[in-house]
Amino acid sequence: MTGTEKTAPRHIAVIDVGKTNAKLALVEACSLQEIAVVTRPNRVLPGPPWPHFDLDGHWAFFLEHLTRFQSDHGIDAISVATHGASAVLLDADRQLAAPMLDYEHDGPEACAAEYDRLRPDFARTGSPRLPLGLNLGAQLHWQFTTWPDLHERVAHIVTYPQYWGLRLTGNLATDVTSLGCHTDLWSPWEGGFSDLPHRLGIAEKIVEPLRPGAVLGTLRADIAATTGIAATTPVMVGIHDSNASLLPYLGSHRAFSVVSTGTWVIVMAIGAGRQPLDPDRDTLINVNAENAPVPSARFMGGREYELLREGCSAAPSPQACDDILARGVMILPSAVPGTGPFPDHALEWIGEAASPSERMAAIGFYLAMMTESCLALIGARGPAIVEGPFAANPAYLEMLAALRPDGVRVAQSATGTSAGAALLALPATAPPEARPHPSPAQRDALRAYFESWRGAISAR
């Protein structure tokens, strides 16, 4: 937009594709609230040639509801966020050269040894070696090795958010947050591609990246005619979904960390500086929307919460928290083995919760101690900003506030992938409000409990 007479978008449509569901949300700019949301399962279709995502089904769904959102509310901009570990292979006509591989398919394991000889070191890429197709480079190596004719058919490789941008605008791009998501293809500290694209023979095929907040283009005429959305509507380049939670806070110049809680708890540290990370403990380097490296760590906190509570819905009362501390009842990691800061440890309870409320208190403490372990691994400094479901868990917040030297802040405004993606289309704004969590009255007892927990882990 040009000229002071123009106004910022009022409604941003966000294509938000997670691993479980594909969503279209309409976000109100002034509140960052979702005023309309529709979802469909992100089904994996069988081969041939491999298990793949239903891109055409998603596209029909998005067009249908973009039309409805435009009719009901009006759409002023479109943005995109998607899961990582994914790329789309296109032919010279910018059509699919092959179906989009599901990254949980085990096909790439057949070439794992050969791929391991090709991939750059973790110190260079910040990408830990992950199973299946979770390293995008491993997917591409397997696809081009197993189907030799594919190399000739593929003219362009785009990361997943930009595939939807291509269908909307006709323009090609990749983005730095998707390339920097444990792909092995990117060197975060150098801000450019690693050696791997050349080693795979695809350097000329991967489209050059743009910043997520850049305008990829405006709507194709046929899409505008189909949906009723103005052809001048801007479509943003788009972003990897984990980075959408971090985006609102990037205007701050202080050191801080964001703790994004959901199926995965992902901690991301701003201002932590460069330091050695341990790829065997689920640490990695993400790349934020400003193309800066972000030390990160993760564990499957939401999945662990569901496994541990076994359907229990009681609240962790203050008395239950006190009783758990007094008796030293605790949970040792990991409820989901093979992930997180203690991937080789098996779940164990020390003592027994005497009530559902005590069980939930022990779970909250455990999840907070796992979060603190992740924050310590990446050298996080400053306050920890907690977003998502765990921001409403009192036991979790009490423990984490006791352990973080600069305290915990609880996100107050609308958060989530769709809101973060919508911000790409909006003028720069101040970071959202985050409420300081009070210093716990049982601070010393909580810290002592944590030290006992660490000692019990070490003793194993």
Side-chain angles (χ1 to χ4, degrees):
M1 295 182 207
T2 59
T4 57
E5 74 281 0
K6 299 293 185 182
T7 58
R10 293 182 304 116
H11 297 142
I12 302 98
V14 177
I15 291 173
D16 181 359
V17 185
K19 188 60 170 65
T20 304
N21 292 298
K23 178 170 90 170
L24 184 73
L26 191 66
V27 177
E28 184 181 57
C30 62
S31 66
L32 291 183
Q33 296 289 335
E34 297 175 343
I35 60 174
V37 178
V38 288
T39 64
R40 78 186 297 259
N42 190 11
R43 293 193 303 134
V44 176
L45 305 178
W50 46 64
H52 56 276
F53 294 108
D54 183 16
L55 299 182
D56 286 340
H58 289 341
W59 181 238
F61 170 80
F62 293 145
L63 286 182
E64 175 189 351
H65 293 287
L66 284 168
T67 303
R68 183 167 67 82
F69 286 3
Q70 169 65 17
S71 175
D72 292 348
H73 304 280
I75 293 172
D76 306 300
I78 301 175
S79 191
V80 184
T82 74
H83 61 74
S86 297
V88 183
L89 309 180
L90 304 169
D91 63 20
D93 295 324
R94 302 186 177 186
Q95 303 299 310
L96 286 180
M100 178 182 157
L101 176 67
D102 172 20
Y103 65 66
E104 291 189 276
H105 180 49
D106 63 1
E109 296 284 3
C111 299
E114 181 182 348
Y115 179 69
D116 287 343
R117 291 191 291 270
L118 292 171
R119 65 186 295 267
D121 291 338
F122 174 77
R124 177 84 184 277
T125 66
S127 296
R129 183 64 169 106
L130 300 172
L132 307 176
L134 282 162
N135 295 116
L136 178 54
Q139 289 183 42
L140 297 171
H141 174 255
W142 175 71
Q143 289 172 301
F144 286 118
T145 300
T146 309
W147 286 268
D149 66 315
L150 186 61
H151 193 278
E152 183 176 347
R153 288 190 284 116
V154 172
H156 312 287
I157 299 172
V158 298
T159 39
Y160 194 23
Q162 291 71 52
Y163 171 71
W164 300 114
L166 167 67
R167 295 196 74 156
L168 290 164
T169 70
N171 297 333
L172 293 170
T174 55
D175 85 275
V176 294
T177 65
S178 297
L179 288 170
C181 173
H182 50 75
T183 65
D184 290 331
L185 301 168
W186 194 253
S187 294
W189 301 107
E190 298 169 13
F193 287 102
S194 71
D195 298 332
L196 185 60
H198 286 284
R199 296 176 188 176
L200 297 180
I202 58 174
E204 303 304 316
K205 299 179 185 294
I206 301 180
V207 180
E208 285 295 314
L210 298 175
R211 295 287 180 93
V215 175
L216 179 62
T218 53
L219 280 187
R220 287 168 29 197
D222 59 322
I223 303 301
T226 297
T227 62
I229 303 169
T232 55
T233 301
V235 178
M236 315 313 292
V237 167
I239 193 167
H240 169 233
D241 55 9
S242 292
N243 261 285
S245 295
L246 182 61
L247 183 65
Y249 303 98
L250 291 183
S252 171
H253 298 293
R254 299 173 53 202
F256 66 95
S257 57
V258 170
V259 179
S260 176
T261 67
T263 301
W264 287 92
V265 172
I266 301 174
V267 305
M268 296 168 279
I270 299 295
R274 186 169 184 172
Q275 66 179 50
L277 300 179
D278 186 347
D280 294 329
R281 300 186 69 183
D282 238 342
T283 66
L284 65 154
I285 299 292
N286 275 301
V287 175
N288 69 26
E290 297 175 350
N291 197 16
V294 181
S296 306
R298 62 187 189 170
F299 72 106
M300 292 196 81
R303 180 77 53 82
E304 295 203 321
Y305 173 80
E306 293 299 332
L307 291 171
L308 290 167
R309 76 186 183 98
E310 297 179 345
C312 177
S313 59
S317 68
Q319 185 61 54
C321 291
D322 290 347
D323 290 344
I324 287 293
L325 290 175
R327 299 204 316 277
V329 176
M330 61 181 60
I331 304 166
L332 302 184
S334 293
V336 177
T339 66
F342 306 102
D344 299 326
H345 290 247
L347 174 69
E348 181 183 347
W349 278 81
I350 295 179
E352 185 175 347
S355 68
S357 186
E358 284 192 9
R359 183 180 190 87
M360 297 305 283
I363 293 170
F365 288 165
Y366 164 77
L367 295 169
M369 293 185 297
M370 289 287 282
T371 301
E372 169 60 22
S373 300
C374 289
L375 289 164
L377 283 172
I378 60 175
R381 299 187 295 115
I385 302 167
V386 179
E387 297 187 326
F390 291 1
N393 185 317
Y396 177 88
L397 293 176
E398 286 286 286
M399 176 61 76
L400 193 61
L403 301 178
R404 282 280 89 200
D406 294 304
V408 165
R409 304 180 72 86
V410 180
Q412 297 298 289
S413 60
T415 58
T417 301
S418 295
L423 285 172
L424 295 174
L426 296 172
T429 58
E433 180 185 357
R435 170 182 56 81
H437 187 78
S439 179
Q442 290 272 50
R443 187 182 189 90
D444 290 343
L446 290 162
R447 287 179 169 178
Y449 180 96
F450 175 62
E451 292 303 325
S452 296
W453 182 78
R454 288 206 301 185
I457 293 171
S458 297
R460 296 162 71 190

